[in-house]
DNA sequence: ATCTTTGGTGCCAGAATTTGGCACCAATTC
DNA sequence: GAATTGGTGCCAAATTCTGGCACCAAAGAT
């Protein structure tokens, strides 16, 4: 067995059994007592918190808040991580203990700088309305990926966007708007935008939009204020 | 130099220089040509996309969308990742290529099952209204963490919550509500809730809430439907 | 006080893996 | 055809890992 695989096996076993002895681990993993002890030392060096009390019945115990299995992250996963961390940071350090910024900084450093900048700018534009439970997300989200390059351009460069919209009655109109936010309310995507012609905010279901086209050089600003009144503006969303 | 450290060094170098040759890498890293070639093979096996064209001037080029540096994640970081991935999955596979589910499954497996279940249930309750740009998040979010245990209990067990609320005019009232969502609009936190006494949805600024107290055994259901009309219900939030 | 259990360390020889050099092939440019 | 550069197979040397041994420390049982 590989040294890395053995480390993972040890962590898994500790997590599963809650409490074990070195000898049990040695038998389970198929390595000698000495090797297991060396491995535990290495894992501690890497940041795992492994309690041990010689003399008592069961010896080894892994701290549940301890660090996790190694994983090589794809760019999309790093993006997901940044997105999640943005939410976590916005939450102070809400439901759980504070974020380990050091590890995160390492990840950010590993990203190509231009990519990171783009990700951050896109994050600035992306509003997440509702996060569904993870279990239900497999069969969610219907939207044409072909639309996205135009939207990304409009969002990032903050220029107006032109497209055709088919409303609930099937009537098709031509719209030219200033995109303000992308709103995800699974299974649907909405574009929140300022419509200069109607002088009002509108939202558009993404699956009813076609032929999007950025309008060069028509720059605009984004608008956002927190609300004060205690009547819920989301009442239409809830039932 | 360690084999793992060398792999990281190679990836870093490829990312920084954009394009290099095997011999340059060998000299930079301090290893032989043969070893570098072996390492590149290993990195490719791990999922890195490394282009190469023998014969032409510069040979090696790392695909910018390729996988990232290894990182051991703390539990909070895994939570952040799950949160972000939930948003990403909800987005189909929005602005970037599809998520590498295999790696994610590995991370999920590494979490203690109870912890993962709790995280998922809490995710189900947490709505993120607006994600600020990462740069601005340091001085954001004013809310009393002391409030949270009561809210977490109410959300997770889906029971009513009682608290005192001080409105914009300073008038204090006693409320008993059914929490529906936590809304983060930096720098403020809002509780979106159904008020059975008023038979309507209300939202409350978290910093005006005090003395929260779960009301045992008064269970309720959550309510949510996507909206259809194209008039933006968020117009009060935007300016 | 002594024995047993169990974590922990130093040391060293044998086992396993990694490394570097070599010969050689393939594709491209000049 | 020569030069450049990625790529592969092979093997001996270098390096690292592993397992056994002796031994220490702490706690509980007798």
């Amino acid at each position: 067995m590989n040294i890395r695989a053995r480390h993972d096996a040890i962590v898994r076993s500790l997590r599963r059994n809650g409490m074990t002895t070195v000898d049990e681990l040695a038998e389970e993993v198929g390595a000698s007592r000495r090797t297991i002890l060396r491995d535990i030392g290495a894992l501690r060096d890497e940041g795992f918190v492994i309690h041990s009390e010689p003399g008592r019945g069961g010896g080894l115990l892994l701290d549940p808040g301890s660090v996790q299995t190694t994983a090589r992250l794809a760019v999309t996963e790093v993006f997901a991580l940044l997105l999640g961390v943005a939410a976590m940071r916005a939450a102070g350090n809400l439901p759980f203990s504070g974020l380990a910024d050091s590890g995160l900084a390492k990840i950010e450093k590993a990203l190509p700088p231009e990519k990171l900048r783009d990700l951050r700018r896109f994050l600035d534009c992306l509003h997440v309305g509702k996060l569904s439970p993870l279990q239900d997300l497999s069969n969610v989200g219907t939207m044409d990926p072909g639309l996205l390059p135009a939207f990304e351009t409009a969002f990032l460069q903050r220029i107006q966007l032109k497209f055709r919209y088919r409303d609930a009655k099937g009537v098709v109109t031509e719209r030219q708007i200033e995109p303000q936010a992308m709103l995800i309310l699974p299974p649907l995507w909405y574009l929140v935008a300022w419509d200069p012609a109607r002088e009002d905010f509108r939202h558009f279901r993404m699956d009813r939009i076609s032929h999007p086209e950025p309008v060069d050089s028509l720059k605009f600003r984004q608008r956002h204020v927190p609300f004060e009144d205690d009547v819920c503006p989301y009442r239409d969303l809830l039932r």
Side-chain angles (χ1 to χ4, degrees), chain A:
Chain A
M1 179 182 283
N2 191 2
I3 178 170
R4 191 136 210 115
R6 207 175 54 226
H7 282 192
D8 286 349
I10 290 174
V11 172
R12 264 200 312 278
S13 179
L14 282 175
R15 185 122 46 209
R16 196 175 53 247
N17 299 328
M19 196 173 256
T20 350
T21 68
V22 174
D23 291 316
E24 278 180 49
L25 272 179
E27 184 169 3
E28 186 182 332
V29 174
S32 71
R33 199 179 98 93
R34 187 68 189 84
T35 301
I36 297 295
L37 280 163
R38 247 193 298 252
D39 288 343
I40 287 172
L43 288 172
R44 279 176 173 152
D45 285 346
E46 287 186 47
F48 282 86
V49 179
I50 301 174
H51 304 287
S52 63
E53 288 177 86
R56 296 205 310 124
L60 293 176
L61 180 64
L62 181 66
D63 188 303
S66 196
V67 291
Q68 296 304 316
T69 312
T70 314
R72 279 188 190 271
L73 304 177
V75 164
T76 47
E77 290 167 329
V78 173
F79 174 70
L81 186 58
L82 290 177
L83 185 64
V85 165
M88 294 285 286
R89 283 210 188 128
N93 45 10
L94 215 197
F96 309 95
S97 54
L99 267 171
D101 278 294
S102 59
L104 194 70
K106 216 186 305 169
I107 292 175
E108 287 185 355
K109 215 173 292 176
L111 268 180
E114 329 80 51
K115 196 81 187 169
L116 186 62
R117 200 172 51 238
D118 282 356
L119 288 177
R120 283 177 162 162
R121 292 179 67 189
F122 196 84
L123 266 186
D124 194 11
C125 306
L126 183 69
H127 297 220
V128 181
K130 165 85 168 82
L131 297 173
S132 278
L134 282 169
Q135 300 92 318
D136 300 347
L137 280 173
S138 48
N139 52 357
V140 122
T142 48
M143 80 163 297
D144 180 10
L147 296 177
L148 282 166
F151 279 87
E152 218 172 315
T153 305
F155 268 117
L156 288 181
Q157 295 175 23
R158 309 209 170 174
I159 54 178
Q160 291 191 355
L161 188 71
K162 203 165 61 179
F163 56 80
R164 280 181 225 161
Y165 191 69
R166 181 177 45 78
D167 70 13
K169 289 167 195 150
V171 183
V172 175
T173 49
E174 183 94 8
R175 308 285 186 125
Q176 183 162 334
I177 51 83
E178 303 178 357
Q180 297 291 329
M182 202 76 94
L183 191 65
I184 310 167
L185 294 164
L188 295 174
W189 277 78
Y190 297 89
L191 169 69
V192 180
W194 172 261
D195 188 333
R198 290 165 182 76
E199 291 200 326
D200 197 7
F201 286 97
R202 299 286 164 130
H203 74 261
F204 306 94
R205 274 179 51 170
M206 288 295 280
D207 56 338
R208 293 180 174 162
I209 291 176
S210 64
H211 304 82
E213 194 182 329
V215 182
D216 274 1
S217 73
L218 274 178
K219 296 259 181 193
F220 64 89
R221 287 192 325 282
Q222 287 198 297
R223 314 149 203 249
H224 171 263
V225 284
F227 49 96
E228 275 296 334
D229 181 19
D230 89 325
V231 174
C232 179
Y234 293 84
R235 62 158 71 78
D236 300 333
L237 296 182
L238 305 153
R239 181 180 54 192

